[in-house]
Amino acid sequence: MTVHKTVIALRTTNSSNFDVVVIGGGHAGAEAAWVASRLGASVALVTLDPTRTGQMSCNPAIGGLAKGQMVREIDALGGLMGLAIDATGIQFRMLNRSKGPAVWGPRAQADKYKYASEVQRLISTCPNVTVVQGEVAELVTDAAWTEAGTRGHADVGSNQDGGSGAVASICGVKLADGTLLACRAAIVTTGTFLRALMHTGEKKTEGGRIGEATARGLSGCLARLGLEIGRLKTGTPPRLRRESIDFSGFERQPGDEAPTPFSFLNEYAGGEGSARSAHPLAWLPPLPQVHCWIGATNAAIHEIIRQNLHRAPMYSGQIASTGPRYCPSIEDKVVRFAEKDHHSIFLEPEGLDTSEIYCNGISTSLPQDVQDQVIRLVPGLERAEILKYGYAVEYDMVWPTQIRSTLQTKRINGLFLAGQINGTSGYEEAAAQGLMAGVNAARHAAGRVADFVLRRDQAYIGVLIDDLVTKPPIEPYRMFTSRAEHRLHLRSDNADERLTPIGRELGLVDDNRWQRFGARRDAIAAGEALLRQLRAGEGSAFDFLRRSDVDWAGLVSRFPAAEAVPAAVRASIEIRARYEGYIARQDRQIERFAQLEAKLIPDAIDYTRITGLGNEARQKLSKFTPRSLGQALRISGITPADVTVLAIHLSRV
Ligand code: FAD
């Protein structure tokens, strides 16, 4: 990857040096740069340290329940994350296997160093991405621009832009060293770095991630642009030296015998008779595979933690911001689940060529001496050496009521926000937003309508963004399957069916992916048709597969011709057989739901003038500016009666 640290002169004409500037090379930024460039935009990816582009700040893993589905969706649309993890995964597991294929969630441990390198390599294959090392300190808007030329100031004038509610348009970014980059659109993906403060016990250090700087200027600039800033926190566990661990104290956790890749490009390589269709191990990861280990905390550890709670920043009052409830620190778990005498610890290798072992389950910001005691009391870790201590980090974010479903800010035209800055947590959540913002920013820069939105029934990505814009997160937002009302439809196996045609239409899906998609879709249809034809007695092979006690081997012993169905599409056909009735019912619900989603509300609507709406509804609707009647109904405090009033009003204008 070539890194530029050059002063790029800002042209004084209307033309821009870059179509899109992406600020931040994390998971959101990498995905945004990838898709924007694939749509033909010239992109500057500005990041504090380009050698850390794609770095995993915390857990060295991608996917999991709901998150794995999102990675498949990103891949189906032509994104980068699935390709990067398939190339660098060192343990692949399908989670929730006992619960039936409709809710399976793919997950993989990554070699985190190789993962970051792969992301950087993939970005370097984009001919129109310029990677710039630097800190973006200011966003330049046309309000500041017309007033003061190169002043680069974030003053906001009053030039309304035709009723969208925006008060100015982005026209460039300014780096801390004074460099100006002109652009038509900018995407802020600064993760945990804005005014970031790390805590380990009483010790506080500025920085967004261990060993890295903080970004000071940008949140002040966002505030001056009129955006309301919030503050959240997250945390990470200690890392141990592999050679100092006695693994006999832990239970070994192997990966799947037949790993499932994330990318549809790796999943289905050909039709019947291909080596993959004949071989049960359809795909082999390129890197050697490793084990993880499971152990547990105990009563003695919990006692030490209780005795030292007054030194934990979350309890001493040193940290006031909210952390993720679903991913609590070990001190949180000991307090909140006081009745439990142990909590699981998962030891996960951070890579093939490193000694670092990640201690999943004991995220903490307790002081170092307490972390030493806690670790030593875990059976198998009596002599463990801590390479990096756990810490918590507090950072600025922007309340996502201030963005539209396109991730464009309501206030500033051409300014998009994606990733942790919108109040989410997790690599997959960040990448999903990066993709959406990348598409919309590229369209905006090309002078097209930046209106690419996925509905809740189309993708977890749609659920994520719809939740963010209708229910401001009070803690870092993470995706769960329970957040999706149509989860039988939003499966990992059918993400391509749901989204690859959309990706193709957008221009993100190349001929290779499109051809593979067609081949897989045809193989599924042919397999299903074959099973419906094969009959024994009353029923078909397809009917036989509906039975919960029948697997593919059982099916083949009764209907030997079913062996011809390629291994890579069997799970999809099984799901269709088992859940046919439920899926049909959900499809009918989706149809009803789609009607409300299709009733779009113009941006310029003045809710205060709609007679029949109560004051609360007027205020909420003015604040959230929902995109559709369906979205209006999901805002807390908005009733079906309000939506009826709104529908009548819209039918008259
Ligand atoms: P990041 O991955 O944080 O990337 C931000 C990028 O922006 C960086 O490359 C940075 O250099 C760059 N940048 C920032 N400011 C500027 C600027 N002004 N100019 C130029 N470049 C800039 N997630 C979980 O799901 N579970 C967890 O338990 C968890 N724990 C975490 C613990 C810690 C300590 C941290 C730091 C993160 C944790 N995360 C966790 C969150 C996860 O790392 C993030 O959700 C994810 O990385 C967010 O992706 P992002 O692209 O939004 O930002």
Side-chain angles (χ1 to χ4, degrees), residues 156 221-228 402 411:
V156 175
C221 172
L222 289 165
R224 285 198 300 283
L225 287 170
L227 294 166
E228 199 191 332
Q402 302 167 91
R411 258 185 105 68

Side-chain angles (χ1 to χ4, degrees), residues 36-53:
S37 105
R38 295 198 130 205
L39 294 182
S42 64
V43 178
L45 174 59
V46 188
T47 190
L48 295 175
D49 180 355
T51 65
R52 300 198 191 221
T53 297

Side-chain angles (χ1 to χ4, degrees), residues 210-231:
I210 196 89
E212 289 183 71
T214 180
R216 283 195 207 91
L218 199 52
S219 30
C221 172
L222 289 165
R224 285 198 300 283
L225 287 170
L227 294 166
E228 199 191 332
I229 308 291
R231 203 147 168 84

Side-chain angles (χ1 to χ4, degrees), residues 155-197:
D155 291 344
V156 175
S158 58
N159 50 334
Q160 294 285 331
D161 79 339
S164 72
V167 294
S169 296
I170 199 84
C171 60
V173 307
K174 190 174 177 188
L175 308 194
D177 66 2
T179 306
L180 283 161
L181 308 178
C183 62
R184 297 175 200 270
I187 311 175
V188 184
T189 69
T190 45
T192 53
F193 284 75
L194 295 189
R195 287 203 313 123
L197 193 58

Side-chain angles (χ1 to χ4, degrees), residues 23-30 46-49 52-59 67 134-137 189-194 208-210 212 214-216 218 234-236 324 326-327 358 363 391-393 418-421 424-431 478:
I23 305 163
H27 306 276
V46 188
T47 190
L48 295 175
D49 180 355
R52 300 198 191 221
T53 297
Q55 176 160 326
M56 296 174 153
S57 313
C58 191
N59 193 349
K67 287 167 169 269
E135 178 191 339
V136 172
T189 69
T190 45
T192 53
F193 284 75
L194 295 189
R209 217 159 34 194
I210 196 89
E212 289 183 71
T214 180
R216 283 195 207 91
L218 199 52
T234 188
T236 198
Y326 49 79
C327 193
Y358 178 89
S363 160
Y391 62 94
V393 60
Q420 192 115 358
I421 190 166
T424 59
S425 167
Y427 313 132
E428 305 79 2
E429 288 82 350
R478 174 189 169 169

Side-chain angles (χ1 to χ4, degrees), residues 119-326:
V119 169
Q120 291 164 31
R121 189 193 67 76
L122 286 166
I123 298 230
S124 72
T125 64
C126 303
N128 42 355
V129 175
T130 306
V131 178
V132 180
Q133 178 170 15
E135 178 191 339
V136 172
E138 285 183 39
L139 301 167
V140 186
T141 67
D142 57 355
W145 191 252
T146 46
E147 282 168 26
T150 53
R151 197 177 67 183
H153 214 264
D155 291 344
V156 175
S158 58
N159 50 334
Q160 294 285 331
D161 79 339
S164 72
V167 294
S169 296
I170 199 84
C171 60
V173 307
K174 190 174 177 188
L175 308 194
D177 66 2
T179 306
L180 283 161
L181 308 178
C183 62
R184 297 175 200 270
I187 311 175
V188 184
T189 69
T190 45
T192 53
F193 284 75
L194 295 189
R195 287 203 313 123
L197 193 58
M198 295 183 289
H199 302 257
T200 301
E202 300 83 0
K203 199 170 109 194
K204 291 188 261 183
T205 322
E206 279 198 353
R209 217 159 34 194
I210 196 89
E212 289 183 71
T214 180
R216 283 195 207 91
L218 199 52
S219 30
C221 172
L222 289 165
R224 285 198 300 283
L225 287 170
L227 294 166
E228 199 191 332
I229 308 291
R231 203 147 168 84
L232 291 173
K233 83 116 204 171
T234 188
T236 198
R239 273 66 159 179
L240 308 178
R241 184 186 295 286
R242 181 198 302 266
E243 295 73 19
S244 65
I245 298 172
D246 173 6
F247 288 103
S248 66
F250 292 81
E251 184 194 329
R252 209 164 71 152
Q253 188 185 41
D256 287 345
E257 233 175 83
T260 310
F262 281 88
S263 175
F264 286 94
L265 288 183
N266 292 324
E267 182 173 290
Y268 187 74
E272 284 169 44
S274 77
R276 281 169 196 239
S277 66
H279 200 287
L281 295 177
W283 175 72
L284 289 176
L287 292 184
Q289 300 295 289
V290 303
H291 300 300
C292 295
W293 295 269
I294 308 176
T297 59
N298 51 43
I301 292 175
H302 297 188
E303 189 47 38
I304 295 277
I305 292 173
R306 271 191 285 268
Q307 283 170 13
N308 285 283
L309 275 180
H310 62 286
R311 300 176 65 202
M314 283 301 285
Y315 290 90
S316 65
Q318 188 174 310
I319 292 182
S321 40
T322 319
R325 210 169 9 124
Y326 49 79

